[in-house]
Amino acid sequence: MSNARATHLTRRGILAAGGALGLGAVLAACGDEDKKSGGSDSAGAAKPSGPWTFKDDRDKTVKLDKVPTNIVAFTGVAAALYDYGIQVKGVFGPTKTQDGKPDVQAGDMDISKVEILGNVWGQFNVEKYAALAPEVLITTMFDDAGTLWYVPEESKDKIAKLAPSVAVSVYDRQLTQPLERMWALAESLGADLEADKVVKAKQEFEAAAERLRKAAKSRPEIKVMAGSASAELFYVSGTNLSIDLEYFKALGVNFIEPSEKSKAQGGGWFESLSWENVDKYDADIIMMDDRAQAIQPSAITEATWKKLPAVKAGQVIARSPEPILSYGKCTPLLTSLAEAIENAKKVS
C-alpha cells in the first residue's frame, strides 16, 4: 500500500469522529436551474447576479463572472444551503439509505431533485459531474491539509479541472465558526438572510445554546460520553477536533475524555473498545452517532451494552458528528443535550 493511499485511508478514519462502521476494516487494510428556493418552507433566495467572489477556509479565493447556480456539493453542505434557500444541482456523500429514503445528512432536501454522484465513500461519478456543467464544488474539510471531504483521492485531479472548489473547515474548532462560514457562503450565493424563518432559526439556536449552558452549570455531576457502534467495536470520542463536542464542552458539558494515548489509533479523534470493554467508562448520558454507517442503539444486541447504567436508565440520545451547518438543524442538537442533562438521573 502506497503512503498516499495509507494517508487517504487514515483520513477516511475520521468518519469515526464519533466512531464509524467499518473503521476496523480500514485500519486493518492499512432541480431545475430556476428553482433556488429549496421548497416552500425554505427561505427565499434573491436572484443571483455577478461577479462572485468567495474566500474559503484554505485561504483560496474563487472568482466567477456571475453567482454560480450550477452547484455541486457534499450532501451535508447541500442540506445546509437548502435551509437557506439555495438549491444545488448535484450531491456526493451519504444521500439515501438502502431503502431509498433520505439519509440523515440530506436534511430536508428532496433528494429526487438532485443528481447523486456518489452515495458512499469512494464513489464520485466524474462523467455525471461533467455533464452537470458545474460552476463550483462545495464541501467540508476534516483536516488542516486542505483535503476535500468525500472527493476521492484517485479522481480528485480530474474533478478539480472541471470546476473550482470551495471548502468549509469542520476541523478542530467550535460549531459556531463553520456555522458562520456557511451563513456567509449562503449569503454570497443569494440567500435572503433577513427572511423571518432564517432570523428566527438563528435566535432559537442562541436560546438553545444558553439553555445548554445553564443545564451544564446546574448539573456539573452529569457525565456525558460520545459513542458510536460497529459490529466489532465501540468508539468513544474525545472532545478535541469535533466541532459539536468542542462547542458543547465550551458551554460547560462534562464529557468523558479518553486519554491521548488511547486515541492514538483513531488519529486523535476517538478510542476503540471491544464490546467486552464497553463498560470502561462510567457515563450518565451516552450520545450515539446517528449516521447510517453506525449501528443505532436500538439495533445493538451486545449484552455488555445493555448492562450499561445509562442504557438501563434510558439515557441514550442521538448525536450528529457531521451536523448540517444551518442554525435550524443545529438547534435540536443543543436542545436534546440540554434536556437530557436537565432530566438525567445520576447513574455513574
Side-chain angles (χ1 to χ4, degrees):
M1 183 181 294
S2 69
N3 288 336
R5 181 61 176 156
T7 299
H8 182 56
L9 286 173
T10 299
R11 286 172 181 154
R12 192 256 189 266
I14 61 178
L15 270 170
L21 182 61
L23 177 71
V26 170
L27 293 176
C30 58
D32 296 337
E33 187 168 330
D34 62 347
K35 292 182 180 178
K36 302 181 185 71
S37 67
S40 59
D41 290 332
S42 295
K47 274 197 171 184
S49 60
W52 184 75
T53 299
F54 191 82
K55 185 176 182 180
D56 76 359
D57 290 341
R58 299 168 296 179
D59 287 330
K60 291 187 177 183
T61 300
V62 176
K63 295 181 180 181
L64 300 175
D65 293 336
K66 64 182 183 69
V67 176
T69 55
N70 280 12
I71 301 168
V72 172
F74 172 68
T75 302
V77 169
L81 292 176
Y82 181 92
D83 285 354
Y84 291 126
I86 305 298
Q87 176 72 55
V88 307
K89 291 295 183 67
V91 297
F92 55 96
T95 306
K96 61 181 179 181
T97 58
Q98 291 183 346
D99 59 5
K101 295 180 180 179
D103 187 273
V104 65
Q105 294 192 63
D108 294 331
M109 281 194 303
D110 183 344
I111 62 174
S112 69
K113 293 183 178 179
V114 293
E115 184 74 54
I116 301 174
L117 305 177
N119 196 57
V120 298
W121 183 265
Q123 281 186 356
F124 193 113
N125 191 312
V126 180
E127 290 72 25
K128 286 185 177 181
Y129 179 57
L132 290 174
E135 295 170 288
V136 66
L137 179 149
I138 309 174
T139 187
T140 53
M141 297 184 299
F142 276 87
D143 61 25
D144 55 8
T147 306
L148 299 179
W149 191 230
Y150 264 82
V151 173
E153 183 76 16
E154 57 272 19
S155 56
K156 68 177 184 180
D157 293 337
K158 291 180 181 179
I159 293 168
K161 291 177 181 177
L162 295 171
S165 59
V166 166
V168 175
S169 180
V170 290
Y171 175 72
D172 196 17
R173 60 202 61 207
Q174 293 181 24
L175 177 61
T176 45
Q177 186 173 345
L179 275 172
E180 290 166 0
R181 295 293 288 145
M182 193 62 68
W183 174 277
L185 177 59
E187 183 175 38
S188 78
L189 293 170
D192 179 8
L193 299 184
E194 295 183 0
D196 289 345
K197 178 182 177 180
V198 176
V199 173
K200 183 180 179 183
K202 192 171 185 181
Q203 291 172 342
E204 289 177 343
F205 175 87
E206 292 166 351
E210 183 57 29
R211 177 181 175 181
L212 179 55
R213 187 193 306 275
K214 289 180 179 178
K217 185 177 181 179
S218 66
R219 303 292 308 277
E221 77 282 6
I222 298 299
K223 294 187 292 184
V224 180
M225 179 170 67
S228 184
S230 74
E232 299 82 16
L233 296 169
F234 182 82
Y235 308 96
V236 180
S237 286
T239 57
N240 189 33
L241 305 182
S242 297
I243 57 172
D244 61 328
L245 302 184
E246 284 201 14
Y247 184 51
F248 300 158
K249 183 179 180 179
L251 292 174
V253 176
N254 179 13
F255 279 101
I256 287 168
E257 298 279 5
S259 68
E260 292 303 314
K261 182 178 180 180
S262 298
K263 293 187 296 182
Q265 282 191 319
W269 293 82
F270 58 87
E271 176 182 4
S272 304
L273 298 175
S274 66
W275 283 103
E276 290 77 11
N277 294 317
V278 74
D279 59 354
K280 178 177 179 180
Y281 299 106
D282 295 325
D284 299 296
I285 296 171
I286 303 176
M287 302 175 68
M288 291 294 288
D289 188 345
D290 67 356
R291 294 172 297 178
Q293 65 263 28
I295 298 176
Q296 297 306 299
S298 61
I300 299 175
T301 59
E302 300 289 341
T304 49
W305 163 262
K306 294 181 178 180
K307 291 178 181 178
L308 294 178
V311 175
K312 292 172 69 175
Q315 295 177 174
V316 178
I317 64 173
R319 176 199 169 206
S320 298
E322 293 182 66
I324 295 172
L325 296 172
S326 71
Y327 289 102
K329 289 296 183 296
C330 288
T331 295
L333 310 181
L334 293 161
T335 302
S336 174
L337 182 53
E339 183 176 357
I341 293 173
E342 289 165 353
N343 297 326
K345 297 177 182 178
K346 180 65 179 174
V347 294
S348 66

